[in-house]
Amino acid sequence: MTDPLRAESDTVRAPAEPPNRAAPFVSRTVFAAAHVVADPFADTTPDGPAAIDWDATLAFRHHLWSHGLGVAEAMDTAQRGMGLDWASASELILRSAAEAAAVGGRIACGVGTDQLAAPSASLADIKAAYEEQLSLVEGAGAQAIVMASRHLAGAAESPASYVEMYGHLLRQAAQPVILHWLGPMFDPALEGYWGSSELDTATDTFLQIIAEHPDKVDGVKVSLLDADREIQLRRRLPVGVRCYTGDDFHYPELIAGDEHGHSDALLGIFDPLAPLAADALRLLDSGDTAAFRKRLDPTVTLSRHLFQTPTRYYKTGVVLLAWLAGHQSHFTMVGGLQSARSLPHLKRAYELADSLGLFPDPELAESRMRQLASVLGGGSA
């Protein structure tokens, strides 16, 4: 992406990273859910087609692989359903899967139903939409993450609807998938998923689906921001089925685990935390759990800030930090979501990230934050 109006300073990036990946972690399986980089010069609107800067978006995936992290693609962090339409998501999956194959990077991609135009749909239409996306992801050579569907939440008549739908999809899957339970704090349209707003009842349905198809479930990704509930759930999983924490409030303790087991990870916060998280995970690989916690625990304050209510707008802070760190040349998001957080919120995110040493070029980060504050604050930085 080039434009004659862009100033030279806008193109500054962090030093290029090698087009390969570090050795995978041995003690945990870890994915970072990655954001997308918008094309700021595209003539579109918040409800128009997503316009993506493919070079910068794919370069960020290489950044994650270079630290040994897997990439969770076309997920909530990539603004799936909040600016990223299915046409762009499908291209993102195909492009990222090809890049992963080229460098041996691990990748798993979201399978949903967002190609359905109508907010309401029949169960047959929902099943066909899931099948289409599952075929695309597996055909691209990526692992499938079966995402919670807004359409299914609206059409399901009872827990049995979920059991039938997911059972069908798992029988169709060529390889074990990751099942994704995204709580309503991330997407209010998913209230009552698995057929009940009562979480114990919903958990029983979720576990029933897994128990009936344990050979087709690699793991479950739980994003409920409730550490105790996640621990209880992972202790009830069949042997060999992983629990991938999606809890951006309690991830250090959940990944560290206890005498009964641990959580692996599929986290949006590992997008901005990639280098630091990788360092911490290497310590865990060495058996030094205390050093892992000492390295990762201080990041929770930043994560809790980014994911504060309304939680679904955490993507704005994630993209801000990518811009400040030099991974992209602008702070523009698909769907215009850069406006979803206030200037005080963004300034605090910068301060917390800076205190953690997350910026490869602190002077660039400070300069960009001052520019943003000047623009949004009417000249007062």
Side-chain angles (χ1 to χ4, degrees):
M1 181 189 65
T2 59
D3 191 281
L5 299 179
R6 182 179 288 119
E8 181 66 25
S9 61
D10 288 340
T11 64
V12 175
R13 296 194 183 201
E17 296 182 76
N20 52 28
R21 64 183 178 95
F25 307 109
V26 297
S27 61
R28 304 290 186 270
T29 301
V30 181
F31 292 94
H35 75 280
V36 293
V37 183
D39 179 353
F41 292 97
D43 185 9
T44 188
T45 61
D47 58 353
I52 296 176
D53 179 343
W54 292 111
D55 289 343
T57 293
L58 296 174
F60 191 80
R61 274 88 184 131
H62 284 283
H63 159 71
L64 296 175
W65 288 318
S66 77
H67 289 288
L69 298 166
V71 169
E73 188 58 277
M75 300 292 293
D76 187 56
T77 305
Q79 298 179 239
R80 190 80 177 265
M82 289 187 67
L84 188 72
D85 54 296
W86 170 239
S88 296
S90 59
E91 184 173 358
L92 177 64
I93 289 166
L94 294 173
R95 286 176 177 258
S96 293
E99 295 293 318
V103 298
R106 185 162 187 169
I107 188 167
C109 301
V111 170
T113 62
D114 47 332
Q115 72 270 52
L116 296 174
S120 61
S122 69
L123 290 173
D125 288 340
I126 295 166
K127 183 180 295 184
Y130 263 135
E131 289 177 333
E132 177 189 357
Q133 295 198 17
L134 178 62
S135 177
L136 183 139
V137 167
E138 292 194 327
Q143 184 178 17
I145 305 171
V146 182
M147 302 170 67
S149 163
R150 294 174 180 173
H151 298 96
L152 182 55
E157 298 175 352
S158 69
S161 298
Y162 293 90
V163 173
E164 193 283 328
M165 181 69 69
Y166 278 83
H168 175 81
L169 294 171
L170 290 171
R171 288 189 293 272
Q172 294 290 312
Q175 301 294 332
V177 309
I178 298 171
L179 297 181
H180 188 193
W181 186 352
L182 190 69
M185 67 287 293
F186 289 93
D187 187 344
L190 299 177
E191 177 66 43
Y193 212 75
W194 310 114
S196 177
S197 294
E198 207 290 311
L199 289 179
D200 288 340
T201 301
T203 298
D204 288 343
T205 301
F206 188 50
L207 288 168
Q208 176 187 344
I209 293 168
I210 298 163
E212 292 179 359
H213 309 275
D215 59 323
K216 288 296 188 74
V217 181
D218 163 64
V220 298
K221 195 268 192 182
V222 186
S223 298
L224 298 176
L225 303 183
D226 185 332
D228 290 339
R229 183 166 293 279
E230 179 174 323
I231 291 170
Q232 294 169 14
L233 172 63
R234 80 184 184 202
R235 290 178 181 175
R236 296 174 64 187
L237 291 171
V239 174
V241 176
R242 296 182 177 92
C243 180
Y244 291 96
T245 187
D247 188 331
D248 300 278
F249 286 2
H250 307 99
Y251 51 92
E253 65 199 74
L254 291 166
I255 296 170
D258 55 31
E259 66 275 17
H260 300 292
H262 64 264
S263 294
D264 294 282
L266 198 165
L267 287 162
I269 192 57
F270 278 6
D271 176 305
L273 290 183
L276 193 155
D279 288 346
L281 288 159
R282 301 292 174 202
L283 293 168
L284 191 60
D285 280 355
S286 73
D288 195 340
T289 303
F292 164 81
R293 292 294 301 269
K294 185 177 181 180
R295 185 76 170 120
L296 203 58
D297 282 1
T299 67
V300 172
T301 301
L302 170 63
S303 189
R304 284 177 174 265
H305 177 74
L306 295 181
F307 285 79
Q308 68 182 220
T309 305
T311 304
R312 62 189 180 277
Y313 294 129
Y314 75 89
K315 298 96 162 169
T316 302
V318 167
V319 174
L320 171 80
L321 297 183
W323 174 55
L324 297 179
H327 294 296
Q328 56 193 78
S329 63
H330 58 84
F331 179 44
T332 301
M333 299 173 66
V334 298
L337 212 63
Q338 68 272 10
S339 65
R341 292 294 201 190
S342 69
L343 177 57
H345 177 93
L346 299 176
K347 291 178 71 173
R348 182 58 177 158
Y350 158 71
E351 293 165 357
L352 291 170
D354 188 50
S355 72
L356 294 169
L358 288 183
F359 300 128
D361 185 342
E363 291 183 358
L364 173 66
E366 181 181 9
S367 172
R368 287 183 168 183
M369 192 65 232
R370 287 185 180 278
Q371 291 171 18
L372 181 65
S374 178
V375 171
L376 297 183
S380 174

